[in-house]
Amino acid sequence: RVHFASLATGGATDAHWRIVNTSGTVLAGDSLTDSVGYISISSTGTYYVLIEGDFSDVAAVRSYSFQIDKETISSTNSMTLGSTTSGSISSAGEKDEFTYSGTAGETLHFDWLSANSTNHYVQLRGPDGTLLLSSTYSSATAPPVTVAPLTLTQTGTYHVVVSTTSTSTGSYSFQILDVDAQERSIGD
């Protein structure tokens, strides 16, 4: 898996980037002002990054910069739905991964509980590596943005990856709640 990070753009915000393989299949893409979570690369080979301006932008030249990093997981631990999961990012670039078994049809709610630095970042990936959820916790804007419930479409091992942006470090805690189980316990 690799991560595309947009570092700077000059000019029109409608420019886009895409990552494609040699057969022209688009693996990921977005506005050049946006970064994206990790992109699964399933085989070795040549891949291309396309940077495309917007047809309505009349400037002849625009500046931009981006970075592509290979994902490196610092630690992997199992977690239990409904329980508080805690950890700490002790150095820039560290990524903690937590796994749990999910069942198709379960409805989950992600809840940031705390983070003692700005910009902790979490991603939830399905058993096939598909990015299902991403959320940032910024202590500057606490409480964080509420993450809408998500219904799982596959049965298998799900991966939660926690990291920070830039050079931030610090501890964090979160929980993932099974919404159906919570509703049953309230209704009992």
Side-chain angles (χ1 to χ4, degrees), residues 5-119:
S6 179
L7 301 176
T9 59
T13 58
D14 288 338
H16 285 77
W17 63 269
R18 292 187 292 160
I19 296 179
V20 299
N21 63 17
T22 53
S23 64
T25 302
V26 177
L27 303 177
D30 208 338
S31 169
L32 193 54
T33 59
D34 295 326
S35 298
V36 72
Y38 283 87
I39 303 156
S40 292
I41 304 288
S42 57
S43 60
T44 5
T46 302
Y47 293 84
Y48 301 95
V49 177
L50 306 177
I51 307 295
E52 302 167 316
D54 184 76
F55 69 91
S56 64
D57 185 7
V58 295
V61 177
R62 294 289 187 195
S63 62
Y64 60 87
S65 63
F66 63 89
Q67 180 174 323
I68 296 179
D69 296 308
K70 182 179 176 187
E71 178 181 53
T72 303
I73 300 295
S74 304
S75 65
T76 301
N77 297 293
S78 61
M79 60 172 284
T80 304
L81 292 181
S83 296
T84 298
T85 301
S86 300
S88 182
I89 302 295
S90 57
S91 61
E94 180 179 326
K95 292 174 179 53
D96 296 343
E97 180 179 60
F98 300 92
T99 60
Y100 68 92
S101 294
T103 304
E106 281 181 314
T107 301
L108 305 179
H109 175 77
F110 180 86
D111 185 18
W112 276 113
L113 299 175
S114 69
N116 71 352
S117 105
T118 57
N119 300 324

